[in-house]
Amino acid sequence: EMLTKEQRGNPINCVIIGEYTGMLSSVVSDSFGGPGGRVLCIGDCVDSDGHPKQEWVEYVGERFQKTVWPVKGDVADNFQGMEKKMDMAVLSTCGSYSDMASLITKWSGLVRPGGVVCGTQLDKEDYPASTQAIYEVFGEEVESEHTSFWFTQQGLKASK
């Protein structure tokens, strides 16, 4: 809701990392459409040769290369050199505690002050390492509506 109030009807610059990027990018693109916006997907969207996967393109549909783009690279790659800060980073991945803490820290560093970092896998039973990393990186600033989806706004006081 915090990003919706600020960005509705305006372009959004978002990066989606991990799995299900086609489905998630479609929702983000449709919710925050506007000329000049972009949703970059990193993870499950390209094959080993760097070409967009057909099933991913089918999810994205007409948004492909208009508002949604696949990016070649691994989610652990360093994209700190991106020229423009993102409005939102969506993390749809899980892993060990150290991998998750590193990914969260790395990708949240690309989000502008006031932007949103959010993701899935906030579930102590199914994803204990991810949940621990999320809370240790962001502390009490993490919000969730009693689901595995979580979010926090950049620039708020974090525990680390």
Side-chain angles (χ1 to χ4, degrees), residues 12-27:
I12 188 166
N13 290 298
C14 174
V15 61
I16 300 176
I17 296 98
E19 303 295 320
Y20 309 107
T21 62
M23 290 181 280
L24 292 168
S25 65
S26 298
V27 171

Side-chain angles (χ1 to χ4, degrees), residues 11-153:
I12 188 166
N13 290 298
C14 174
V15 61
I16 300 176
I17 296 98
E19 303 295 320
Y20 309 107
T21 62
M23 290 181 280
L24 292 168
S25 65
S26 298
V27 171
V28 171
S29 178
D30 291 351
S31 297
F32 301 100
R38 62 184 174 158
V39 180
L40 305 177
C41 298
I42 303 170
D44 66 349
C45 53
V46 295
D47 62 22
S48 58
D49 294 326
H51 299 103
K53 291 182 179 176
Q54 185 60 39
E55 63 270 17
W56 181 85
V57 173
E58 289 172 10
Y59 275 119
V60 172
E62 65 185 32
R63 301 168 200 86
F64 180 61
Q65 295 185 332
K66 291 180 182 168
T67 57
V68 179
W69 288 268
V71 177
K72 184 178 178 181
D74 186 86
V75 296
D77 286 345
N78 187 344
F79 289 92
Q80 296 297 326
M82 292 178 102
E83 338 171 330
K84 191 172 185 179
K85 290 283 190 175
M86 294 291 171
D87 298 305
M88 182 167 61
V90 181
L91 303 168
S92 180
T93 187
C94 61
S96 70
Y97 167 80
S98 60
D99 289 346
M100 287 305 299
S102 176
L103 282 173
I104 292 167
T105 301
K106 181 183 300 182
W107 291 104
S108 65
L110 294 174
V111 177
R112 69 170 174 77
V116 172
V117 180
C118 59
T120 58
Q121 283 85 23
L122 186 69
D123 184 321
K124 291 178 187 176
E125 289 181 27
D126 291 334
Y127 307 104
S130 297
T131 300
Q132 180 184 2
I134 293 164
Y135 279 117
E136 288 195 13
V137 171
F138 294 115
E140 299 298 316
E141 300 303 329
V142 173
E143 296 184 45
S144 178
E145 301 293 327
H146 306 291
T147 69
S148 64
F149 186 82
W150 60 273
F151 59 95
T152 187
Q153 191 169 14

